[in-house]
Amino acid sequence: MIKKLLFVICLLVPTIVFSQTDIQFEIDNQQDSVYYFCKYIGAKSLVLDTLKSQNGMICYKSKTKLPEGIYLLKNSNNFPLTEVLVSNRQHFTVIINDLDDWSTYKVKGNAKETKLYYELMAKVRKTEADIAALESEEGYHPENWKIADSLKKDLDNFEESLRIKKKGAFINTVISSLKRHTMADYWDDFPLNDARVITYPLIENKLNTYFDNLYNDAKLINEEIDKLITKTGDCIAVRDYLLWYFYIKYFNPKYINLDDVYIHLVDEYFMKLDMPNVTSSMLNIMADRASYLENLKIGAKLPEIGDVYSIEASYIVVVFYDKTCQKCAKEGRILEETRERHPEMVIFPVEINSTDINNLLSKYDIQSTPMIYVLDKDKHIIAKRIKAEQVELILNMD
């Protein structure tokens, strides 16, 4: 009897090891033979595995468990089909009758949080669509705001009703991240100390909304960045995600007076923290650029180049260009037309296709051509990284 039992256990062990994760999708009206199972990193997705459809089932299997998070299924054309919340319960089947209607999604298997996620998203999407429709008609029906407000409260109550008592439940993290706030308390409930929040796009959407609506003041933005980094606590994954998000966003900021944000990120974080995949050579490049940007802030004197300091004019437009660049030629023609209307302006062209190219690119922070600086009569920078047609606006405003 014992021998038989051991034999059965030996037969089962390979199956148990092989099927640590077994997620299947049964989706109506899907004819592809190949699909892609992807993980999110913020709003970006990375293919984890190529899946094949067999007998109408799309299967992802692995010998090891997936990290908890929200994953994405794409078709053979790389088009997103659906998301799936993966908790520590990773043996289940998702049955979908209509990809556009989350209320049709069914989950077979012991995957409570996955089921709750689809219930949550079905309610969120329907409610948000209803609210958008009501708000679009407020001009004709002023009382719509009351109905919309009632729907929002109902949605909040529904979300709270889905919370489970299990400690560390991922569905609770998702519910917290969905809380809707004003700018003043925007991040109050968002769990930035939970690494799982970077496994779905919401974090990037919230960051874009919040920082795009902040007043464009470098000191204010730096303060807000510091607050968010503090909220990550000991969660290195979210901290590093945020730092790279801000680094990319403010490397070439939309507004010309935000160089101090880049400098702050480099000096206070990248140079002080031990971050994965940041080499010493990368740090040297970052530090050098931060140093150059100190000399290229709005209001600073442009580091001397050629005989620009000897020019006497109310305005000097320094243009770094490449003679093979078609855009440079076009921008040059616009600047010439502007000069005809503004004789107080002098154009100072600097060709970067020279033996001194590397020094020029770094010293004057030239990321692309043409690169335009507008100087006042004392050679102070009053505008930079602008298009040729914007120069006239600067002259008229000054």
Side-chain angles (χ1 to χ4, degrees), residues 261-289:
V261 178
Y262 178 91
I263 295 168
H264 179 73
L265 287 167
V266 172
D267 290 348
E268 297 302 320
Y269 294 106
F270 284 93
M271 298 302 296
K272 292 182 178 180
L273 299 174
D274 183 16
M275 295 177 61
N277 303 319
V278 179
T279 64
S280 58
S281 60
M282 290 171 64
L283 288 175
N284 289 336
I285 292 171
M286 290 178 179
D288 286 346
R289 183 168 189 253

Side-chain angles (χ1 to χ4, degrees), residues 41-177:
I41 303 175
K44 300 174 180 62
S45 61
L46 176 68
V47 175
L48 283 180
D49 201 0
T50 301
L51 312 183
K52 292 185 178 180
S53 177
Q54 296 178 342
N55 301 319
M57 301 296 289
I58 307 162
C59 307
Y60 174 84
K61 294 188 178 184
S62 176
K63 295 179 181 179
T64 58
K65 275 194 169 185
L66 286 167
E68 288 189 317
I70 293 175
Y71 293 81
L72 178 66
L73 182 69
K74 294 183 177 182
N75 65 14
S76 59
N77 293 320
N78 214 35
F79 182 81
L81 295 178
T82 189
E83 294 174 348
V84 57
L85 180 147
V86 177
S87 66
N88 62 339
R89 303 284 187 175
Q90 303 189 4
H91 285 247
F92 58 87
T93 300
V94 180
I95 303 169
I96 304 173
N97 294 325
D98 182 352
L99 281 167
D100 295 324
D101 184 357
W102 289 61
S103 65
T104 70
Y105 288 32
K106 306 298 179 186
V107 179
K108 290 177 63 177
N110 185 14
K112 183 177 181 179
E113 292 185 59
T114 306
K115 296 175 185 178
L116 291 174
Y117 177 70
Y118 288 132
E119 289 180 35
L120 172 67
M121 295 313 297
K123 180 72 170 180
V124 167
R125 290 197 172 193
K126 183 181 185 306
T127 303
E128 289 182 345
D130 291 344
I131 290 172
L134 288 166
E135 290 177 342
S136 69
E137 296 176 352
E138 278 188 8
Y140 304 100
H141 303 284
E143 71 280 4
N144 277 6
W145 73 268
K146 293 182 180 180
I147 305 172
D149 189 57
S150 177
L151 288 177
K152 291 174 185 177
K153 291 177 181 177
D154 176 64
L155 179 58
D156 284 339
N157 292 334
F158 178 80
E159 289 172 348
E160 287 302 313
S161 74
L162 295 183
R163 288 187 184 272
I164 61 178
K165 293 181 179 179
K166 175 185 167 186
K167 185 178 180 181
F170 184 32
I171 188 66
N172 294 345
T173 293
V174 174
I175 291 168
S176 295
S177 70

Side-chain angles (χ1 to χ4, degrees), residues 270-372:
F270 284 93
M271 298 302 296
K272 292 182 178 180
L273 299 174
D274 183 16
M275 295 177 61
N277 303 319
V278 179
T279 64
S280 58
S281 60
M282 290 171 64
L283 288 175
N284 289 336
I285 292 171
M286 290 178 179
D288 286 346
R289 183 168 189 253
S291 177
Y292 286 127
L293 285 178
E294 282 284 359
N295 300 319
L296 297 171
K297 293 179 183 179
I298 300 299
K301 268 196 171 185
L302 184 75
E304 190 168 5
I305 182 169
D307 59 353
V308 71
Y309 273 31
S310 66
I311 297 174
E312 293 186 5
S314 297
Y315 301 99
I316 304 168
V317 179
V318 180
V319 186
F320 294 90
Y321 74 99
D322 185 331
K323 64 182 178 183
T324 65
C325 165
Q326 292 184 353
K327 185 179 178 181
C328 295
K330 179 182 176 181
E331 296 277 283
R333 290 192 293 270
I334 295 172
L335 287 176
E336 289 293 345
E337 293 171 1
T338 302
R339 182 172 61 175
E340 290 178 5
R341 295 188 293 272
H342 291 271
E344 73 277 20
M345 176 187 104
V346 169
I347 300 173
F348 187 84
V350 181
E351 183 183 349
I352 66 166
N353 187 20
S354 66
T355 56
D356 199 29
I357 183 171
N358 290 329
N359 183 48
L360 287 175
L361 290 176
S362 58
K363 189 174 182 179
Y364 298 95
D365 194 42
I366 302 167
Q367 303 299 325
S368 62
T369 55
M371 174 68 170
I372 296 175

